[in-house]
Amino acid sequence: PCSRMLRLRLAEHQASAPEPRRGSELRNCVSDRLLALCESCRSLRVEHSDAGDWAALLLSRPAIFIDVYSDNDVYPEEMWSSMEVYLRNLAEGDEEHRTLPRGRYASAQALVARDLQFLSGRSVGEVCH
């Protein structure tokens, strides 16, 4: 992931830890420090972009990512139909679940946590895109 997303996921992981380790505040982690840590890790390959950002990639996994701007819809029509029904019912019913958190990733996490049948077997990343 790009450095900004990596810092967000690390902070999220730290916040969910039962006892955060002292001195490990990642929310305000300096990008240069994180970059140095990633570059020193033998399991990662760091790639720099023209825009000045960078990404840390696992050497043990192929670098295959979803293009969020692609017009190609890889999801089955049944999933979309079921989601449409779910959203219509939601609009008319349960006020507690009617809203989703702000942001694509947080909304995907909330939908996955609802254990919806039409999203069964999908990762948060798949639901996010």
Side-chain angles (χ1 to χ4, degrees), residues 3-4 6 12 25 31 40 45 55 74 93 102 110 124:
S3 61
R4 182 179 64 84
L6 185 57
E12 176 183 273
E25 177 57 51
S31 185
S40 69
R45 178 179 77 242
V74 298
R102 187 175 179 179
V124 172

Side-chain angles (χ1 to χ4, degrees), residues 74-86:
V74 298
Y75 299 101
E77 183 58 39
E78 301 82 43
M79 186 200 77
W80 291 119
S81 297
S82 296
M83 184 160 190
E84 181 180 10
V85 169
Y86 172 76

Side-chain angles (χ1 to χ4, degrees), residues 38 41-47 56-63:
C38 289
C41 181
R42 293 181 182 172
S43 301
L44 298 175
R45 178 179 77 242
V46 174
E47 292 184 356
L57 306 173
L58 291 168
L59 292 174
S60 62
R61 301 190 126 208

Side-chain angles (χ1 to χ4, degrees), residues 32-94:
D32 291 342
R33 180 172 175 226
L34 183 58
L35 173 60
L37 286 169
C38 289
E39 287 179 330
S40 69
C41 181
R42 293 181 182 172
S43 301
L44 298 175
R45 178 179 77 242
V46 174
E47 292 184 356
H48 297 269
S49 74
D50 295 336
D53 198 7
W54 55 271
L57 306 173
L58 291 168
L59 292 174
S60 62
R61 301 190 126 208
I64 301 171
F65 296 95
I66 295 170
D67 180 0
V68 296
Y69 302 108
S70 173
D71 292 333
N72 184 25
D73 183 4
V74 298
Y75 299 101
E77 183 58 39
E78 301 82 43
M79 186 200 77
W80 291 119
S81 297
S82 296
M83 184 160 190
E84 181 180 10
V85 169
Y86 172 76
L87 293 174
R88 284 179 198 234
N89 290 336
L90 198 61
E92 298 167 2
D94 186 5

